Each structure stands twice: as C-alpha cells, then as structure tokens.
C-alpha cells in the first residue's frame, strides 16, 4: 500500500485529506454558531470552505510537517473558530452544540467514505485513498472528543459539568495544548484512542 512508509505520494494524499477534513470540521463549527444566532465566525470570514480562512501558519503548516517527518503522522490545529457565548442560543448547551458539530462532521465524512469503499476495490489506489480518509476522520472524531481543553470534547463536557469541574477546566485551558501534545509524544493516548477508533470503524458500514 502507498501508505506504508513515508513517501511523497502518501504525504500529498495525507495533506489533502487533512485539509478537506479540517475545513469541513471548522466550517461546521461556524455554521452551527451562525444558526444559533452568533455571527462572530461569519463576520470574521470563517463561515467558508476556503482552507486559507482556517489555516494558522504555525499550527496548521509548520507543526504537521515536523510531526510527519519525526513521527509519521500529522499533529495540527486550525485557527479556533470564534464565538460569542452571550449571543449563542441555549447558553452553555448552545456552545456544546457548536463544539460537537466539528467532530460529528468528521464522523459523517468517515461514514460516507465507508459507504464508498463498499463499491470499490479496497486494494486499488483510490480505494487506499478513501480508506485513509475514513481512518483520518475517525481519528479526528475520537481525538477531538477528548475532554481536555481546548479540544471540542471539553466544551461538550463543560455544559454538563458541575461548577467545580467547570472552574478546573477553565484553569486548565491555558496549559491544555501542551498537556495534549505531551501525552501524544509519551504515548499516553495510544491504547485508548486506538481502541476507540477501532470501535467506531467496526460500527461503520
């Protein structure tokens, strides 16, 4: 398979797949926020399928290149989609809906990819591309639902958490990215995330 080993074809396919998955993920955050009454993301040009509107030079370009070369997988983040909690319907629950929209869009993309695979040769080049796209979106779905700030799962948990846990999450958020990156480098997520990914893949058609 082309994905075995680090080669230029694999890198190109991976980058394109990541961009498609990321753009739709971020677009859905902005779209749901807009539908819930907050125009902040729309006003800042984030209600868009243009990748350039969602790219952060360091987190979306430099970091994934470094992590692909060093570890064989991309670790990246888009520019956070802004929203104004005071303008979102349903308060914290509306904010949770905005957060959940991104990972759920990745699950839908993985479902579509799984359906496409049923009608093609999985060993062909196109089949491998679709399979990689499915795996990538399942990974993004599972990873983004980790309840560590600033990941989407933390915002979903926040809406239902008691005040003490909400306060802890607020204090944790400035350090959240470094905690997540450190856990990834140390392999702290490997077993749990891989098992969750496999469970989702098994459910898909």
């Amino acid at each position: 398979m082309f994905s075995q080993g680090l080669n230029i074809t694999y890198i190109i396919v991976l980058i394109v797949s990541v961009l498609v998955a990321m753009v739709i993920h971020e677009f859905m955050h902005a779209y749901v926020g807009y539908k819930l009454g907050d125009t902040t993301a729309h006003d800042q040009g984030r209600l868009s399928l243009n990748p350039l509107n969602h790219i952060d030079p360091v987190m979306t370009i430099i970091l994934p290149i470094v992590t692909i070369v060093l570890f064989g997988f991309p670790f990246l983040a888009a520019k956070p989609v802004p929203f104004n909690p005071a303008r979102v319907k349903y308060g914290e629950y509306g904010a949770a809906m905005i957060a959940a929209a991104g990972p759920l869009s990745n699950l839908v993309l993985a479902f579509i990819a799984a359906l496409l695979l049923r009608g093609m040769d999985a060993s062909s080049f196109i089949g491998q591309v679709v399979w990689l796209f499915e795996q990538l979106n399942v990974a993004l779905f599972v990873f983004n639902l980790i309840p560590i700030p600033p990941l989407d799962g933390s915002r979903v948990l926040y809406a239902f958490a008691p005040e003490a846990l909400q306060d802890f999450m607020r204090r944790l958020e400035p350090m959240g990215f470094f905690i997540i990156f450190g856990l990834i480098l140390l392999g702290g997520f490997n077993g749990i995330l891989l098992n969750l990914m496999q469970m989702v893949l098994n459910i898909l058609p």
Side-chain angles (χ1 to χ4, degrees):
M1 293 178 65
F2 75 88
S3 58
Q4 292 178 341
L6 195 62
N7 59 66
I8 188 65
T9 304
Y10 171 64
I11 292 175
I12 291 173
V13 170
L14 187 59
I15 289 174
V16 172
S17 298
V18 167
L19 281 175
V20 172
M22 179 195 74
V23 167
I24 293 177
H25 179 111
E26 301 302 326
F27 172 83
M28 289 306 300
H29 281 317
Y31 178 77
V32 172
Y34 185 76
K35 286 297 185 180
L36 290 177
D38 180 21
T39 64
T40 304
H42 173 271
D43 295 341
Q44 296 187 22
R46 301 301 301 278
L47 190 60
S48 168
L49 293 175
N50 183 348
L52 296 178
N53 293 340
H54 304 289
I55 288 175
D56 176 87
V58 175
M59 300 302 297
T60 316
I61 298 175
I62 296 175
L63 183 60
I65 290 174
V66 172
T67 53
I68 285 175
V69 172
L70 294 180
F71 309 112
F73 67 89
F75 180 76
L76 75 159
K79 287 192 297 186
V81 173
F83 76 99
N84 184 345
R87 300 174 65 183
V88 175
K89 294 178 183 177
Y90 315 123
E92 293 175 356
Y93 300 108
M97 293 167 65
I98 294 172
L104 288 176
S105 72
N106 293 124
L107 182 61
V108 171
L109 290 174
F111 181 81
I112 293 171
L115 288 178
L116 291 174
L117 275 174
R118 292 170 64 92
M120 65 177 61
D121 179 4
S123 64
S124 67
F125 177 78
I126 297 300
Q128 293 173 46
V129 170
V130 175
W131 172 235
L132 175 64
F133 188 70
E134 179 185 357
Q135 289 182 306
L136 171 66
N137 277 282
V138 169
L140 289 172
F141 168 71
V142 171
F143 180 75
N144 278 287
L145 286 180
I146 295 172
I148 299 177
L151 295 178
D152 297 325
S154 68
R155 177 57 64 181
V156 175
L157 175 62
Y158 187 90
F160 302 93
E163 181 60 34
L165 181 55
Q166 289 182 344
D167 182 61
F168 174 75
M169 293 172 70
R170 282 193 294 266
R171 289 185 280 111
L172 182 66
E173 185 158 2
M175 303 175 290
F177 178 82
F178 300 101
I179 293 171
I180 294 163
F181 191 56
L183 287 171
I184 290 174
L185 292 180
L186 296 173
F189 288 141
N190 288 357
I192 296 174
L193 292 186
L194 289 175
N195 288 337
L196 289 173
M197 283 177 58
Q198 192 58 55
M199 287 175 58
V200 176
L201 287 168
N202 289 341
I203 294 171
L204 293 175

